[in-house]
Structures are given as C-alpha cells and as structure tokens.
Amino acid sequence: MTPIRTAIIHGAAWLACGAAAAQTPPDAHPVSATAAAGPVLRPGTNARFIPFAIPAGSSALPMANAPRLAFEVRMPAEGPANAPARSFTVTMDTGSTGVVISAVDLPGYSRAGEARGAPLGWEFLSSSKRLWIGRWVVRDLAFRSGGGEVIARVPVLAVEKEMICPGWSEKANRPDCDQPTDTTENPAGIAYMGVGFGREHDGQPQGTPDKNPLLNLAMIDGRPVRPGEVHGGYIVTQHGVHAGLTSDNAAGFRAVKLQPGSRLANGAPASTDPRDWQQATMAVSVNGGAPEAGPVLVDTGIAQMYLTVSDPSALPTAQMPNPSRPGHTVTGLQPDTPVQVMFPGAQAPVAQYGFRVGDAAAPQAVLVNSPGRPAFVNTGRHMLRQFDVLYDAEGGWFGLRPVRR
C-alpha cells in the first residue's frame, strides 16, 4: 500500500481551528437540555464495537496519538466492475466528514469508466490550503469487529487533483482555484476517514451524513442490515468506536439537544438529510473569567485545543512553537492557566471539561485565535481521556459520559 501522508491526515482535522462559528448566530440560545432526557432508543437495536488499530509494541497513553481504524475497501457486489480489495489504516477524524482516498489507490476506479457518470466532488483543508478535487464513487468499507465484520457502504471521494489554493473561498464554494501555488495531477497516498457532523460550513460542503461510514452500515456479520435494526449514531471511546446506538452502550450519558439543519459557509442549508445537525454548543471560561458561549468541536485529529473569544488580549498568553507548522510560532495560553468548558452552556451544564494548561492529561497546547464572536472551542482529542462522546444522528443528541477509571 502507498504510504499515507500523515501530515495531510492530521491537517484535515485542523479544518475548524478558527472559523467554525458560522453554525450558531451570536444571539442564538442552545436548546434546553431538560426538554428531554436524551436519545430515544428502540428496543433490540444492533451495534458493533470497532477497536482502534494500535501499532504492535505501542505503549502510548490513550489519545496521545490520533485514533486509527483499519478497513478493507471493496467494490460493491452490484458495482460497475470487480477489483481486488485493498486494506487501509487511517486516522478516524471527528473534525471532518467523509472518506477521501487517492484515485490511483482506490480499487476499481477508472476515469474512463466509472468516473464519467459519478458526481464531481471537492474538499478544502483550511489549515494547509489544500483543495482536493475528484469524483464520489460508492465503495464498501469492511471493518473487523470481534469475530465478525461490519460493512459500511458510502460514496468515497476519489481524488484526481490536489491544489494548494491560498485564496479559495468557502462561501464561493467552487471545485477550482484561480491562482494555485502548486498543482498535482493524480496524487497518491491520500487516505483518511472523517466521521464528524455539522462540518459543511468549513470547507466540506459535501460532507453530509450519507458520506459518514459509521452512519451507513449495510451488513453485519455477513447479512444485510434490516430497516430500523441500527439506531444511527456512534460513540467514541479511548479504545474504539461503537457504530450504532443501543440502550446498553448509551447508558450513563448526559446529553444535550442539537439544532437541526447544518449550513454551508454562505448560510444556505447544507442538505435535506434529517440526520444533518449543527455543532454542539458550550460556554468557555479561561482563567476564571466570565463564560463566553458558542459552538464546540471535539476533534480527534489534533492534540492541541483552539480557542476563540471576544478579547484574547485579556488572556494570559505567550508565543510558543506552532504544533502544526514546525519552525513557526503561535499565540497560546500560558502554563497553569485554568480552562473550563461547559456543555451546552454556563447555565445548568450537563457536563464540564476542566484542566490547567500543562497538566499531563490536558491538550498539548491551547492556541488562541483572533478575536471572534461567538466564542468557539476545538477541544482536540485529549478530552476523550475524560469523556466518552456520543452522537445520535437520528434524534439529534450530543452526549458525554465520564470515562470509567
């Protein structure tokens, strides 16, 4: 297998480092968490636990590195052509949505054949200014689960061209670039899997729920999934992900209601899919200051936290090495600064994520963005050391459960 470009994979999760506030207007109020107790689950729903791929001999703490999932890409049985399956091990990124693989690496892909009738696709990585352009083609992704197998059937973006495009506009949202600084035809080695929600406004206009493999299970243990058998959603833990929600795996979560209808950067609806929800909300307090409200992203793709508040000059900050751009510096919170993130807001939060910068279990760094309203927090993946995270795509719930010690 062509080596996966890990720098790009990790960069994909950077997508929400600064501009994610588009989903929640400044004067919006979170839906009350007391309106209902949480996800309403049908009795007897099915789910499967898919463990993260851990390199042999690894002794790293959970979530020290980006979680990775192994799967085999296959042609659907009724697909246009047969081709040998191929195995991939990639970052499972909650900061993006959709499976992206180089066209030259994707089994069975042909520009002269299948691609001719396939929808045009593109995705922009705001951190690295990379624009990926290709075609959406349906593939089966087979994951090992215990002694069985789980197969998701989703469109995969087969990347035919990669461009570095500093001037790409998320609001204009076009699959081209006026003045690229670099262009690569038929790039190899691109592979990652995004499973986030409400991400279409941040360079992922086509990152709708139909592209999320954890929400589109087609077969379990060799038999087709029956309608209503799986409650659409997932739970991310330190050691793996539950695909599907049940009364057992969802026990112990405190949940908050999500706003329906994710939107594009220009404010237009992103899709008509009823499983398409906006980002969760929170309030953040830094150094004991007054909480500021806004959207939140729990992002498994990065080790650092990103913070946007109305007046960053009032925070205790210092220049530090930029973990995403070696050789550059960035503004971040000083060590020992207390940070508290409250879900869904400061009033009667159902969960609170607190730490001091520099703690062993804290984010690698807390990087401070330019002033902005509303506030925004990208927690990074270290929050998964304190909480399991639930997403209910059918009912529109976001849940947190303290990690069992």
Side-chain angles (χ1 to χ4, degrees):
M1 160 180 170
T2 305
I4 295 169
R5 292 188 287 182
T6 55
I8 294 177
I9 293 171
H10 294 167
W14 235 57
L15 292 167
C17 64
Q23 291 293 289
T24 306
D27 58 349
H29 297 284
V31 176
S32 171
T34 60
V40 178
L41 301 174
R42 299 178 295 276
T45 51
N46 205 348
R48 284 294 185 273
F49 181 74
I50 305 170
F52 292 137
I54 307 298
S58 174
S59 59
L61 292 172
M63 292 295 158
N65 300 308
R68 293 164 66 79
L69 287 178
F71 57 83
E72 192 174 74
V73 177
R74 303 172 183 170
M75 297 294 295
E78 65 275 18
N82 195 14
R86 185 172 185 183
S87 296
F88 294 83
T89 301
V90 305
T91 291
M92 191 203 77
D93 178 23
T94 55
S96 58
T97 308
V99 180
V100 180
I101 297 177
S102 296
V104 297
D105 299 328
L106 188 64
Y109 188 76
S110 168
R111 278 193 171 190
E114 179 185 25
R116 287 177 176 265
L120 181 65
W122 61 95
E123 184 166 313
F124 180 69
L125 310 186
S126 57
S127 59
S128 58
K129 309 302 179 185
R130 295 178 188 272
L131 177 63
W132 287 335
I133 303 171
R135 298 282 176 173
W136 290 104
V137 293
V138 176
R139 291 292 185 272
D140 283 354
L141 276 58
F143 302 87
R144 300 300 301 175
S145 174
E149 185 177 73
V150 179
I151 295 179
R153 182 166 296 168
V154 290
V156 172
L157 181 59
V159 180
E160 298 177 342
K161 179 187 292 186
E162 178 182 74
M163 309 172 80
I164 306 300
C165 186
W168 196 79
S169 169
E170 293 176 346
K171 290 186 177 181
N173 184 20
R174 297 181 298 139
D176 55 29
C177 180
D178 293 332
Q179 295 181 317
T181 59
D182 187 49
T183 300
T184 304
E185 296 284 349
N186 299 315
I190 299 171
Y192 80 92
M193 185 178 81
V195 300
F197 64 93
R199 308 299 303 124
E200 295 96 330
H201 66 283
D202 199 9
Q204 305 167 61
Q206 299 166 335
T208 45
D210 60 303
K211 310 297 197 316
N212 188 331
L214 298 182
L215 303 182
N216 295 278
L217 305 186
M219 299 188 73
I220 295 177
D221 297 339
R223 60 170 183 77
V225 173
R226 300 182 303 274
E229 176 184 353
V230 174
H231 186 106
Y234 58 78
I235 297 169
V236 183
T237 75
Q238 294 183 10
H239 305 291
V241 59
H242 296 267
L245 302 180
T246 70
S247 57
D248 288 337
N249 66 24
F253 277 92
R254 300 288 303 279
V256 298
K257 198 71 176 69
L258 300 173
Q259 296 279 5
S262 186
R263 295 188 175 273
L264 300 174
N266 64 6
S271 76
T272 59
D273 194 317
R275 302 172 298 172
D276 205 5
W277 303 90
Q278 296 185 27
Q279 291 175 288
T281 60
M282 59 84 221
V284 60
S285 171
V286 180
N287 204 33
E292 295 189 37
V296 62
L297 171 65
V298 179
D299 190 343
T300 57
I302 56 174
Q304 64 271 24
M305 173 185 281
Y306 286 95
L307 172 68
T308 299
V309 293
S310 58
D311 184 13
S313 66
L315 304 180
T317 60
Q319 291 297 297
M320 60 186 60
N322 189 330
S324 296
R325 299 186 65 192
H328 294 76
T329 60
V330 67
T331 301
L333 294 181
Q334 294 179 6
D336 205 41
T337 301
V339 178
Q340 189 172 36
V341 184
M342 296 156 278
F343 300 85
Q347 300 298 318
V350 303
Q352 301 185 55
Y353 172 46
F355 61 89
R356 286 183 175 270
V357 178
D359 288 351
Q364 175 181 318
V366 179
L367 308 185
V368 180
N369 295 317
S370 300
R373 285 182 180 273
F376 170 68
V377 167
N378 180 333
T379 70
R381 62 175 168 267
H382 282 78
M383 184 174 155
L384 273 296
R385 291 185 178 179
Q386 292 191 28
F387 293 95
D388 298 333
V389 175
L390 175 148
Y391 172 54
D392 173 11
E394 287 192 27
W397 291 93
F398 174 82
L400 297 171
R401 177 177 63 191
V403 171
R404 297 181 179 92
R405 302 296 180 181

